[in-house]
Amino acid sequence: MALFGKKEKSELTLPEKLPEHVGFIMDGNGRWAKKRGLPRSFGHREGAKQFKKIVRYCKDIGLKNISFYAFSTENWQRPDDEVNTIMELFRDYIVDVRNFLSENTRMIFLGDKSAFDADLQEKMIKLEEDTAHYTEMNLMMAVNYGGRDEITHAARILAQKALDGEIKPEDITEQSVADHLYTAGLPDVDLLIRPSGELRLSNYLIWQCAYAEYYFTDVLWPDFTPAELDKALIEYARRNRRFGGV
Ligand code: IPE
Ligand code: IPE
Ligand code: MG
């Protein structure tokens, strides 16, 4: 396993024990721009650049599952021009992604795709299908994602199956619920990282974070470098996870 990428060397030595799934809440773009007297859109652009850097670094250090909160079901409440900027950045990413998606990376979108333009939905599905057989790293991107929305969506599918006689209510288990989430077949979050100083989940992977370790930092997402990720990974390795046992 290559511990460090050629371009992104870090001073820190990474621990042997890396989390199976690292979740990132990419927060603080707006404040990053405000601090510089720039419009919020600049922060989103910078945040998108940082996202690509961090994805590459995660692959270099051998992480297997990474997820990024890019746009929540609640973020539609923002002013139209801000939503449009974020959607444009998302579109650029989807159109261009094959040029910078590292080899052997599977791409999965978490969230309700139906809110996006038809052509964008098609591109997202095609990308998921075309990369479904890749095994080195799973890259999950949460767009129009909400944890409550996800669980509600799973409940509806299970209710329909029960109504159709495919399952009985007692067949519904924690596993079958998990199998109907957007993250079906993917591991729960081990380490959840939230930059920008906010100490909350904001509806991100609420089921999958049930036993996650949380790492909060005041650094804003556009300033969140590979070295910041190293710090989180080192801190994670020090934690004692008990899962309710002793
Ligand atoms: C995160 O940055 C990006 C999205 C939520 C889309 P913010 O835009 O929330 O930045 P702050 O929290 O206002 O600084
Ligand atoms: C969470 O950030 C959503 C994303 C980073 C995509 P928000 O900025 O929307 O969260 P709140 O409003 O501070 O809780
Ligand atoms: Mg925010």
Side-chain angles (χ1 to χ4, degrees):
M1 180 174 78
L3 272 190
F4 297 106
K6 287 174 202 84
K7 287 180 217 140
E8 299 281 3
K9 280 214 193 311
S10 167
E11 302 298 308
L12 301 167
T13 307
L14 283 181
E16 279 293 303
K17 190 184 87 176
L18 291 178
E20 191 60 32
H21 177 175
V22 183
F24 297 87
I25 299 181
M26 301 190 282
D27 196 19
N29 295 347
R31 277 164 285 172
W32 184 93
K34 195 170 172 217
K35 255 174 59 181
R36 289 163 177 74
L38 297 167
R40 292 176 63 84
S41 55
F42 281 69
H44 293 308
R45 257 179 226 122
E46 212 51 38
K49 278 192 213 157
Q50 206 59 14
F51 159 73
K52 288 178 207 164
K53 260 191 215 160
I54 292 290
V55 170
R56 209 176 313 129
Y57 183 67
C58 288
K59 181 101 182 312
D60 286 347
I61 62 173
L63 290 177
K64 297 292 170 213
N65 298 277
I66 51 176
S67 69
F68 294 84
Y69 205 7
F71 194 82
S72 76
T73 46
E74 289 74 34
N75 287 148
W76 296 106
Q77 299 165 42
R78 295 188 179 200
D80 287 351
D81 65 330
E82 180 165 351
V83 171
N84 290 339
T85 299
I86 297 168
M87 288 302 142
E88 267 167 41
L89 283 168
F90 178 54
R91 180 177 279 280
D92 291 350
Y93 179 73
I94 299 304
V95 169
D96 230 24
V97 65
R98 283 170 211 265
N99 295 330
F100 42 74
L101 200 62
S102 330
E103 224 176 286
N104 216 356
T105 298
R106 179 180 166 203
M107 178 100 215
I108 301 132
F109 294 99
L110 311 177
D112 179 4
K113 292 188 183 74
S114 69
F116 301 109
D117 293 342
D119 69 307
L120 202 52
Q121 288 185 46
E122 268 172 41
K123 285 195 173 74
M124 290 159 80
I125 293 166
K126 179 92 174 50
L127 199 54
E128 287 180 326
E129 285 172 356
D130 290 352
T131 61
H133 59 290
Y134 290 143
T135 52
E136 200 174 319
M137 185 172 80
N138 294 319
L139 166 57
M140 296 165 251
M141 191 176 190
V143 273
N144 190 27
Y145 175 87
R148 289 181 174 181
D149 180 68
E150 177 181 42
I151 294 167
T152 306
H153 174 255
R156 284 205 189 119
I157 298 173
L158 289 165
Q160 189 61 53
K161 285 188 179 174
L163 206 61
D164 295 344
E166 274 178 54
I167 56 167
K168 295 194 200 72
E170 56 268 32
D171 294 332
I172 298 174
T173 58
E174 288 191 11
Q175 187 58 52
S176 73
V177 173
D179 290 343
H180 290 84
L181 300 176
Y182 297 122
T183 50
L186 295 157
D188 282 346
V189 178
D190 297 300
L191 172 62
L192 188 277
I193 298 175
R194 182 165 193 161
S196 92
E198 308 299 352
L199 309 181
R200 52 180 175 257
L201 269 184
S202 301
N203 208 10
Y204 190 52
L205 298 177
I206 53 179
W207 173 285
Q208 299 86 342
C209 281
Y211 269 102
E213 294 296 326
Y214 295 91
Y215 180 87
F216 297 107
T217 167
D218 288 340
V219 169
L220 303 170
W221 175 256
D223 294 327
F224 191 89
T225 55
E228 295 297 330
L229 175 53
D230 288 351
K231 287 189 214 163
L233 293 169
I234 290 164
E235 163 69 20
Y236 170 82
R238 287 198 197 109
R239 304 260 180 106
N240 180 10
R241 303 180 78 191
R242 285 185 289 277
F243 300 97
V246 287

